[in-house]
Amino acid sequence: MIDIITVNWNAGYQLKECLESVIANNKNEVSRIIVVDNGSTDNSANEVEKLPNVEVIRTGQNLGFAAACNIGAKAGQSPYILFLNPDTRLEPESLSIPLAFMENPENKKVGICGIQLVDEQGKVSRTCARFPTLGRLLSSALGFDKLPGLKGRGVHMADWDHCTTTRVGHVMGAFYFIRRETFELAGGFDERFFVYLEDVDLSKRVAQIGWDIWYLTQSRAYHAGGGTSRQVKARRLFYSLRSRLLYAFKHFPVWQAWLLIFITNAIEPFTRSVWCLMRGDVVGVKNTFEAYRMLWRSMGHILRGDGRYNP
């Protein structure tokens, strides 16, 4: 009943561990396990090809997360799709509980659900988010949501302990369980988002067409966090900034998008650097300005709404 789609880009040993956890905890819920490999060079895709029920689709290059997810989704036919990051590991009820929740007739208008994600210490990660607004993005961008008493001002629901099942705006794309019907009605992922916010954008469009999104605490999975993008911090920040601006031009009034561009380009590099220096992170300052160098070079592509762009 479930097609599991995992996008791989040099995930190393994490990919195999993730898929082995899927196989170990599959109670006949999983139809296909599809790995879309975005041009990995670390042999991780070769390592999983011999695992039972695992199919590898090789794109030959890094197409970005959104495009790879769409390729994987088109390869399956099951009524449910689970987009699962390679830096996750499932537990015994990670699949059966969300499937049962979605199959419950009372939840027929739930299009997406996520489960509780925990870190290496078993601590519950605060993974749900509100839909971005100009104020929330600016709060996150300028670090105001890091200040005591202001943790609930940003996009991330950091002010909530994530210990209760509830309806939310968005669940993290690391474990993104969606009805195929919902995915197709919403038009799938917008491939202009190379990585970051493509899942938020999809959740936004899913909500706009009348589906609900829920976060479930009855089951959990391990999530390392940061994924393989932690290997390239400057580029990771660049893609995050780029996706933010793409999202603003797609969902905000034009004047708000332009205001966000100004704040992002002219003020945020310096506020980010101050936050880095307060932590004694000199390398972080270097990565910040390397990311902004890429962003400034890409502004023409962003304003034109171009597709994939690799600086």
Side-chain angles (χ1 to χ4, degrees), residues 15 23 32 52 92 98 106 124 143 170 173 193 195-196 252 278 311:
L15 176 65
I23 294 166
R32 302 175 70 178
E106 293 181 359
V124 175
H170 169 66
F193 293 85
V195 66
Y196 299 123
F252 292 179
M278 288 174 65

Side-chain angles (χ1 to χ4, degrees), residues 47 63 66 231 252 260 296:
E47 289 288 322
L63 300 178
Q231 301 165 10
F252 292 179
L260 187 64
W296 292 328

Side-chain angles (χ1 to χ4, degrees), residues 1-3 29 31 76-82 99 102-103 111 177-184:
M1 297 194 69
I2 309 170
D3 289 327
E29 300 104 340
S31 302
Q77 295 180 326
S78 298
Y80 296 98
I81 305 170
L82 172 61
L99 178 60
M102 298 291 262
E103 286 283 281
F177 195 95
I178 184 170
R179 295 182 195 273
R180 180 174 293 279
E181 175 190 7
T182 308
F183 182 79
E184 292 177 350

